[in-house]
């Protein structure tokens, strides 16, 4: 389940928390692992909420698109779809590859076909709203402005700010994330090399609503390290660190809840962002 949120939280009181961010480790690696950040009960409540949302899912066949982080597939699906581009303040559903026929009909049970749910769970579902706005989340960044961005990528490609370095991703494991079921992989320290590719709004009249400017360098697979994490764990992700996840090769699901925050003070959200 993925979020793209934009809501000012800087006026919400912040409290002391038992999981303070380690500035040194985060500054060195570009990500930080915080085990047991959320309780098993909190994770189960989010999963139950998603099950209820899936049971009521209704998506017209012409709006059913497959979610992808590959550039060509993004431009063909999300980039040309109002269903995707206008999802910032709605709960909408994006599907795995190969689960739809050419007419948009489901080839498998619809509740098992969903890849991501976005992008406003935080606004419309009370459980996700409570988690997203919790004091322990807010304690990880001084003046957060809530936002959102699987192949190797940088979140700043999709969530550009001026200056750079003001976006954090929050990746919450609702189940154990392992090597077998698709945990995250990172290139430690890769957040120091800038951003060479951006997804931006296309000019009016273009064949797609968004386009990519620039290109990613080739990434050395040997530099990626896996980051398995237990249920309830949180990974804080720098907006420019290169990360990916591999295919889930197990019989088990790997449910996660993700959202992004932007440092509100002295930061500009790019008008070119999707």
């Amino acid at each position: 389940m993925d979020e793209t949120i934009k809501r000012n939280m800087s006026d919400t009181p912040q409290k002391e928390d038992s999981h303070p961010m380690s500035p040194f480790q985060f500054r060195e690696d570009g990500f930080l692992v915080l085990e047991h950040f959320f309780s098993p009960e909190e994770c189960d409540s989010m999963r139950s909420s998603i099950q209820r949302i899936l049971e009521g899912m209704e998506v017209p066949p012409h709006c059913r698109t497959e979610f992808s982080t590959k550039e060509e597939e993004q431009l063909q699906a999300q980039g040309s779809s109002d269903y995707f581009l206008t999802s910032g303040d709605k709960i909408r559903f994006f599907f795995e590859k190969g689960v739809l026929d050419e007419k948009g009909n489901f080839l498998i049970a619809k509740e098992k076909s969903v890849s991501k749910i976005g992008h406003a769970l935080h606004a419309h579902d009370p459980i996700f709203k409570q988690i997203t706005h919790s004091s322990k989340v807010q304690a990880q960044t001084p003046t957060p402005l809530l936002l959102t961005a699987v192949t190797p990528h940088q979140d700043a490609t999709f969530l550009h700010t001026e200056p750079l370095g003001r976006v954090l991703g929050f990746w919450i494991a609702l189940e154990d994330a392992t090597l077998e079921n698709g945990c995250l992989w990172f290139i430690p320290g890769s957040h120091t090399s800038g951003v060479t590719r951006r997804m931006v709004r296309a000019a009016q009249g273009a064949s797609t609503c968004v386009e990519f400017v620039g290109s990613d360098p080739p990434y050395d697979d040997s530099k990626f390290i896996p980051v398995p994490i237990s249920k309830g764990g949180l990974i804080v992700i720098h907006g420019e660190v290169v990360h990916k996840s591999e295919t889930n090769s197990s019989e088990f699901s790997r449910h996660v809840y993700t959202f992004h925050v932007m440092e509100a003070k002295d930061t500009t959200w790019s008008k070119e962002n999707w």
Side-chain angles (χ1 to χ4, degrees):
M1 300 77 183
D2 203 354
E3 282 298 273
T4 303
I5 319 166
K6 193 173 184 181
R7 180 183 175 90
N8 199 329
M9 288 175 39
S10 59
D11 58 350
T12 305
Q14 297 176 28
K15 301 178 181 179
E16 293 292 329
D17 189 79
S18 59
H19 296 84
M21 181 179 288
S22 169
F24 176 78
Q25 184 180 354
F26 183 76
R27 187 165 56 246
E28 289 292 304
D29 294 338
F31 65 95
L32 183 69
V33 178
L34 300 173
E35 287 279 13
H36 310 298
F37 193 84
F38 291 98
S39 69
E41 292 75 19
E42 288 173 312
C43 294
D44 290 343
S45 69
M46 285 187 274
R47 294 190 67 204
S48 295
S49 186
I50 285 300
Q51 184 60 42
R52 174 179 50 78
I53 290 171
L54 286 174
E55 288 172 357
M57 177 178 68
E58 292 293 340
V59 183
H62 70 279
C63 292
R64 296 171 188 168
T65 59
E66 297 175 347
F67 190 88
S68 174
T69 57
K70 293 184 178 180
E71 181 171 324
E72 182 177 343
E73 293 175 351
Q74 280 182 326
L75 293 177
Q76 289 177 348
Q78 294 101 287
S80 59
S81 170
D82 284 341
Y83 183 80
F84 174 80
L85 293 175
T86 60
S87 65
D89 59 351
K90 304 173 183 67
I91 295 178
R92 287 184 168 171
F93 305 88
F94 306 94
F95 301 96
E96 296 282 2
K97 295 175 64 175
V99 301
L100 303 170
D101 66 17
E102 64 279 0
K103 295 182 179 179
N105 298 313
F106 292 109
L107 298 174
I108 64 174
K110 67 176 185 179
E111 65 272 12
K112 295 183 179 180
S113 66
V114 174
S115 172
K116 294 182 183 290
I117 301 175
H119 290 103
L121 286 171
H122 72 289
H124 299 294
D125 182 88
I127 298 297
F128 284 96
K129 184 175 183 179
Q130 179 182 1
I131 292 291
T132 308
H133 293 262
S134 65
S135 60
K136 56 186 174 183
V137 166
Q138 295 173 48
Q140 303 306 314
T141 187
T143 53
L145 182 68
L146 265 151
L147 311 166
T148 250
V150 185
T151 56
H153 68 281
Q154 299 167 291
D155 291 341
T157 291
F158 311 93
L159 309 171
H160 196 80
T161 63
E162 296 178 5
L164 282 170
R166 301 299 182 93
V167 169
L168 293 178
F170 285 67
W171 196 94
I172 303 165
L174 304 187
E175 304 173 279
D176 291 349
T178 68
L179 287 171
E180 291 74 25
N181 73 354
C183 69
L184 289 180
W185 294 64
F186 290 88
I187 300 181
S190 56
H191 61 299
T192 62
S193 300
V195 175
T196 59
R197 184 175 73 118
R198 288 184 59 197
M199 188 173 82
V200 301
R201 291 178 178 270
Q204 189 171 5
S207 59
T208 60
C209 298
V210 296
E211 62 186 5
F212 284 90
V213 177
S215 60
D216 285 328
Y219 295 119
D220 183 349
D221 279 344
S222 68
K223 292 184 177 181
F224 282 94
I225 64 166
V227 184
I229 189 169
S230 302
K231 176 180 178 178
L234 166 68
I235 303 179
V236 183
I237 304 172
H238 191 287
E240 292 152 68
V241 71
V242 179
H243 57 288
K244 67 175 182 176
S245 62
E246 300 291 355
T247 301
N248 184 348
S249 59
S250 75
E251 298 179 356
F252 303 99
S253 58
R254 189 223 62 181
H255 291 163
V256 304
Y257 175 53
T258 74
F259 58 90
H260 293 80
V261 301
M262 182 184 80
E263 167 59 48
K265 185 178 180 181
D266 301 323
T267 306
T268 302
W269 175 251
S270 174
K271 295 180 179 179
E272 293 182 322
N273 287 338
W274 67 268

